[in-house]
Amino acid sequence: MPQDGPSLEEGTDPPHDAKAGSFVDDYLLYLLAAVSDRASGQFHAHVRAHGLRAPEWRVLACLADEDGAMVTELARLSLLEQSRLTKIIDQMAARGLVSRRADPVDARRVRVFLTHQGRAQAVGLVADARAHEARLLALLTEEEAGAIKPVLRALLARMERS
Amino acid sequence: MPQDGPSLEEGTDPPHDAKAGSFVDDYLLYLLAAVSDRASGQFHAHVRAHGLRAPEWRVLACLADEDGAMVTELARLSLLEQSRLTKIIDQMAARGLVSRRADPVDARRVRVFLTHQGRAQAVGLVADARAHEARLLALLTEEEAGAIKPVLRALLARMERS
DNA sequence: TACATTAACATGAAATTTCATATAATTTGA
DNA sequence: TCAAATTATATGAAATTTCATGTTAATGTA
């Protein structure tokens, strides 16, 4: 278990100097936030070029997976707060991307559906997202690329129940 | 190289069903955002209990590493937009956590320093952050825990230059 | 030198986000 | 069955965030 700092591997990265101070560059939550921010930022530029903002894209993507989700479900999935999601849905509905429908069995629940147009957007962007993801993964070695999602999923799953 | 889905390892996670749809649960940027959100969310609760909001904590943490950073530098480090950071610094300065000082050699630059009080906060929270990080990493196997930071750093480094 | 260009930061108005709470429907359980 | 208690979503005001642009200082260059 080599522990002499990052990478004796191959396509050597700049020595990861730990620049000035050394906290954030070695802090897991910072690395996660930084990678997420920059990586998502790249794709969000594309998303905005299609007239959507990041949270709207997230909602579309989640609905692509689970059309007819109730607001609370959708908020959790799309990493948005409920009251914020409600307002985002307002706007998306006004633009014809989604529609609301009361749940027939529990009238408190509001289910959110993609419209025809919304689904078209979602399908297109999901394809673009997959392509972008492939480009990102191509920056990693096979080993790294193979490890990253399972590790993230493991962490996510084990955080839920703790 | 076993490749029959996540983990033949040990503390088996729920089979990662890919629930209903199957896009987001397998999408790297989603996993990153989700893990980052939930993990940081945990710590941010602690941060708020100390009277700071998440972006303020990020600024403190970055300054702990690089006291006297100029605004633009600090914005990049702390993953905040410049104009937003400027306003956050206003507030933090008003509360006595940081102070501004013009750069002697280039008067356009504004350098941001921790005050005595700011540093105290930073030091305390950084320690707490390390402890929290340890608890998160304890959710992973040794192999997973050993892999996660290097992979994130690799991705980050290679994204910068692309 | 002086002019144009670029860089660093600040600012203001518009938009979004947050937080607490309102409203309405369902469930609990006495 | 009725009155709490709880769940689901919406709403409004205050705060933050964004976006475009203003201001000031430095740099390149003719």
Side-chain angles (χ1 to χ4, degrees), chain B residues 55-79:
Chain B
E56 293 165 345
W57 147 241
R58 285 204 176 141
V59 170
L60 280 193
C62 292
L63 285 176
D65 267 16
E66 214 163 312
D67 200 26
M70 49 181 282
V71 171
T72 303
E73 248 176 315
L74 190 56
R76 179 173 164 71
L77 250 185
S78 54
L79 312 175

Side-chain angles (χ1 to χ4, degrees), chain A residues 43 46 57 120-135, chain B residues 23 27:
Chain A
F43 189 65
H46 177 74
W57 148 240
Q121 280 263 44
V123 168
L125 287 172
V126 164
D128 298 344
R130 288 200 157 105
H132 175 251
E133 176 186 51
R135 289 198 294 281
Chain B
F23 172 58
Y27 179 45

Side-chain angles (χ1 to χ4, degrees), chain B residues 38-159:
Chain B
R38 303 227 209 280
S40 286
Q42 293 182 354
F43 189 64
H44 291 165
H46 176 74
V47 164
R48 274 190 299 277
H50 285 246
L52 295 176
R53 283 167 315 156
E56 293 165 345
W57 147 241
R58 285 204 176 141
V59 170
L60 280 193
C62 292
L63 285 176
D65 267 16
E66 214 163 312
D67 200 26
M70 49 181 282
V71 171
T72 303
E73 248 176 315
L74 190 56
R76 179 173 164 71
L77 250 185
S78 54
L79 312 175
L80 297 168
E81 226 197 335
Q82 178 264 313
S83 83
R84 188 178 165 193
L85 175 61
T86 289
K87 289 166 193 183
I88 288 172
I89 291 171
D90 287 345
Q91 297 180 142
M92 293 178 74
R95 284 194 281 153
L97 294 170
V98 302
S99 72
R100 280 189 241 243
R101 235 165 72 206
D103 185 303
V105 43
D106 183 339
R108 292 170 303 180
R109 300 182 175 179
V110 169
R111 301 208 164 264
V112 184
F113 295 87
L114 288 170
T115 60
H116 182 68
Q117 190 199 148
R119 180 174 309 283
Q121 279 263 44
V123 167
L125 287 172
V126 164
D128 298 344
R130 288 202 158 104
H132 174 252
E133 177 185 52
R135 289 198 295 282
L136 279 181
L137 288 171
L139 296 174
L140 298 177
T141 65
E142 269 195 49
E143 213 192 334
E144 289 168 336
I148 188 165
K149 287 186 190 181
V151 173
L152 292 173
R153 265 198 293 265
L155 192 47
L156 193 56
R158 294 171 203 160
M159 269 190 307

Side-chain angles (χ1 to χ4, degrees), chain A residues 42-111:
Chain A
Q42 293 183 352
F43 189 65
H44 292 165
H46 177 74
V47 163
R48 275 190 299 277
H50 285 246
L52 296 175
R53 284 167 315 158
E56 294 165 344
W57 148 240
R58 285 202 176 142
V59 170
L60 281 192
C62 292
L63 286 176
D65 267 15
E66 213 162 311
D67 201 25
M70 50 181 281
V71 172
T72 302
E73 247 177 315
L74 190 55
R76 180 174 162 70
L77 250 185
S78 53
L79 312 175
L80 296 168
E81 225 198 336
Q82 178 265 314
S83 82
R84 187 177 166 194
L85 176 60
T86 290
K87 288 166 193 185
I88 289 172
I89 291 172
D90 287 344
Q91 298 181 143
M92 294 178 75
R95 284 194 280 151
L97 294 170
V98 302
S99 72
R100 280 189 242 242
R101 236 165 71 204
D103 185 304
V105 43
D106 184 339
R108 290 170 303 181
R109 299 180 174 180
V110 169
R111 300 206 165 266

